[in-house]
């Protein structure tokens, strides 16, 4: 890339509120906001699938395949936001997030693996298998919230 373009690119990054070091040292409040945003998007893209699995929303193969792909990516995004330096920021995360880290990590891995299976099976067009896998993903959301999120 030529130097002028590179410096314009960096200027845009900085004016968007990022400096290169900020990626490594985001403020705790920012990390909390980002992890909650990832969760909100998980809710957005999982919600209709949950409805389809329960027969409340008509089954739509194209929406399933798209949302499952988004969820596969989103399932990996929130976790670095649960940095110990965010412990004292007000949020719905329970203290167990920072004390029972092995169990929290296990719940993340379980979710990532089920979301990844859903992305794979969503391409098959096998409605019954897709609905069963949507249920499996939903259980991983609920299971983690049960142990690691304040009751809503
Ligand atoms: C490994 C644990 C874990 C998994 C898996 C998980 N969550 Fe969460 N979720 C949390 C925690 C912890 C919070 C509270 C975060 C906070 O307040 O900073 C949360 C918060 C949320 C919120 C509220 C966000 C806000 O602040 O407005 C939504 C919505 C949500 N999760 C949806 C989902 C959905 C949908 C799934 C599955 C597709 C899911 N989560 C999977 C742990 C998890």
């Amino acid at each position: 890339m030529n130097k002028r373009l590179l410096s314009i690119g960096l200027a845009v990054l900085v004016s968007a509120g990022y400096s290169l070091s900020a990626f490594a040292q985001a403020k705790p409040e920012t990390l909390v906001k980002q992890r909650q945003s990832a969760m909100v998007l998980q809710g957005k893209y999982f919600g209709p699938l949950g409805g389809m699995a329960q027969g409340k929303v008509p089954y739509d193969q194209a929406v399933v395949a798209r949302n499952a792909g988004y969820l596969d990516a989103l399932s990996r995004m929130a976790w670095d936001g649960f940095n110990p330096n965010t412990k004292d920021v007000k949020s719905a995360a329970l203290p167990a997030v920072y004390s029972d880290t092995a169990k929290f990590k296990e719940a993340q891995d379980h979710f990532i693996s089920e979301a990844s299976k859903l992305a794979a099976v969503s391409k098959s067009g096998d409605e019954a298998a897709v609905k069963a896998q949507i249920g499996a993903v939903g259980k991983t959301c609920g299971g983690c919230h049960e142990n690691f999120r304040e009751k809503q």
Side-chain angles (χ1 to χ4, degrees):
M1 197 191 284
N2 86 32
K3 276 202 180 128
R4 202 175 116 75
L5 266 183
L6 182 64
S7 67
I8 292 171
L10 285 175
V12 169
L13 257 184
V14 170
S15 63
Y18 296 104
S19 69
L20 293 178
S21 66
F23 284 115
Q25 305 176 326
K27 282 203 226 121
E29 292 76 13
T30 304
L31 287 174
V32 169
K33 215 168 161 187
Q34 289 168 338
R35 77 192 187 199
Q36 291 174 341
S37 304
M39 288 287 168
V40 167
L41 289 177
Q42 284 174 187
K44 172 178 176 183
Y45 292 109
F46 184 72
L49 304 191
M52 287 179 209
Q54 294 172 321
K56 291 181 186 154
V57 177
Y59 188 78
D60 183 331
Q61 172 61 29
V63 171
V64 168
R66 185 199 66 169
N67 288 20
Y70 290 167
L71 277 170
D72 190 18
L74 282 164
S75 70
R76 296 154 213 273
M77 288 185 197
W79 317 121
D80 62 357
F82 291 92
N83 188 295
N85 72 3
T86 63
K87 234 188 251 185
D88 299 325
V89 180
K90 197 175 149 20
S91 84
L94 292 175
V97 162
Y98 310 104
S99 59
D100 202 347
T101 49
K103 195 170 165 198
F104 187 52
K105 174 80 168 60
E106 198 182 294
Q108 294 163 25
D109 291 344
H110 192 191
F111 168 48
I112 291 168
S113 136
E114 296 297 352
S116 159
K117 279 187 211 156
L118 177 61
V121 77
S122 74
K123 294 181 188 125
S124 72
D126 179 343
E127 187 175 325
V130 169
K131 285 181 171 172
Q133 190 55 32
I134 291 171
V137 172
K139 267 192 201 152
T140 66
C141 311
C144 185
H145 291 161
E146 183 63 33
N147 293 315
F148 296 101
R149 183 175 73 160
E150 275 174 10
K151 300 279 165 288
Q152 304 288 293

